[in-house]
Amino acid sequence: MSGSVPRPGEISLAHSGILFLDEVPEFPRLVLESLRQPLESGKVFISRAARQAEFPACFQLVVALNPSPSGHHKDGRSSPEQIRRYLSRLSGPFLDRIELQVEVPLLPKGSLSQHKQEESSVQVKQRVQSARAIQWQRQGKANARLNLTELAQHCYLTPADADFFEHCLTQLKLSARSYHKLLKVARTLADLAQRPQIERTDLLEALSYRSFDRLLNHLQS
């Protein structure tokens, strides 16, 4: 968005859709930091000398990056300090707003030449639609839109699981925002499995999707 008259930019054009950023560490840090507020509020506010404007910006952010400036952090071509400096271009508050952080491992030998029967896109779509129907019937909105009061109501944990989950977050050095976001992920996993309550397996799977945090903690240790 530039010029004296505010106009919708990329995040508003992605409203109700997906904004995909490839090689995200190569984006200017100021640009990435500017995404934080719209990701929370679903709106973007632009102030100019002549006027102010508000645009919708409720989008799903998807980013991709190599875990090392040389390609892969296990290829031996970059030192831990070079990897740390490269990944530090992404701030903690920015990463806090990304619920699913999935590492794509190197393909094992034979995986390209051997074909394995996988779940079809139609089957995946049916599972997702069923899970969304459960959410709308239970709370009238998607899990991602739950506020703190609704989280307490619809994402109940047993005392033992609550203590376990908080201990894991402390070990991973995750924030309170991450706690709430991962709780929504766990609720969604339970919905996909059509379980009425969140179980520890859902918490463990939700935590497994924070591989970027584990990589950073490993580099800092």
Side-chain angles (χ1 to χ4, degrees):
M1 300 180 187
S2 61
S4 59
V5 179
R7 292 180 296 177
E10 292 297 328
I11 59 176
S12 290
L13 295 175
H15 179 64
S16 297
I18 294 173
L19 178 66
F20 175 60
L21 305 180
D22 196 13
E23 295 296 342
V24 68
E26 303 300 334
F27 283 79
R29 184 159 181 163
L30 183 62
V31 171
L32 298 179
E33 294 300 299
S34 69
L35 294 174
R36 288 164 47 184
Q37 183 268 332
L39 284 170
E40 289 291 325
S41 67
K43 302 176 182 178
V44 61
F45 302 92
I46 304 299
S47 296
R48 295 288 185 266
R51 57 180 296 186
Q52 297 180 334
E54 174 187 315
F55 297 104
C58 187
F59 59 93
Q60 182 174 4
L61 178 65
V62 179
V63 306
L65 72 154
N66 289 315
S68 165
S70 60
H72 198 277
H73 65 283
K74 294 182 180 179
D75 59 17
R77 293 185 291 168
S78 297
S79 67
E81 178 57 33
Q82 289 174 316
I83 297 174
R84 188 184 303 112
R85 189 164 54 247
Y86 173 73
L87 297 180
S88 67
R89 298 177 186 177
L90 307 178
S91 72
F94 174 73
L95 290 172
D96 253 357
R97 289 162 171 81
I98 301 178
E99 290 93 333
L100 306 181
Q101 303 169 10
V102 181
E103 179 182 1
V104 180
L106 297 173
L107 291 175
K109 183 179 179 180
S111 58
L112 294 176
S113 58
Q114 299 175 6
H115 298 285
K116 180 181 177 182
Q117 185 66 34
E118 301 286 353
E119 190 176 20
S120 69
S121 297
V122 173
Q123 291 172 309
V124 173
K125 179 181 178 181
Q126 290 173 342
R127 287 197 298 114
V128 171
Q129 289 178 331
S130 296
R132 284 184 62 84
I134 290 172
Q135 294 166 28
W136 282 89
Q137 183 178 11
R138 181 179 60 233
Q139 64 222 13
K141 61 175 71 174
N143 291 335
R145 305 300 173 201
L146 293 174
N147 59 37
L148 295 182
T149 302
E150 292 165 337
L151 273 177
Q153 179 180 357
H154 301 297
C155 301
Y156 172 79
L157 299 180
T158 66
D161 282 348
D163 288 342
F164 167 78
F165 194 40
E166 191 168 348
H167 173 74
C168 291
L169 292 170
T170 300
Q171 293 298 308
L172 286 173
K173 303 176 183 177
L174 298 179
S175 67
R177 178 183 287 108
S178 293
Y179 173 88
H180 297 131
K181 286 186 174 293
L182 287 171
L183 199 56
K184 295 176 185 179
V185 173
R187 177 66 269 180
T188 301
L189 292 169
D191 291 338
L192 286 167
Q194 298 188 1
R195 286 191 287 268
Q197 300 295 334
I198 298 174
E199 297 182 0
R200 186 165 298 196
T201 54
D202 302 315
L203 298 174
L204 288 169
E205 185 173 350
L207 287 164
S208 74
Y209 296 135
R210 298 303 290 253
S211 57
F212 196 87
D213 295 294
R214 291 197 298 274
L215 173 59
L216 288 177
N217 289 338
H218 172 73
L219 292 170
Q220 293 168 357
S221 61

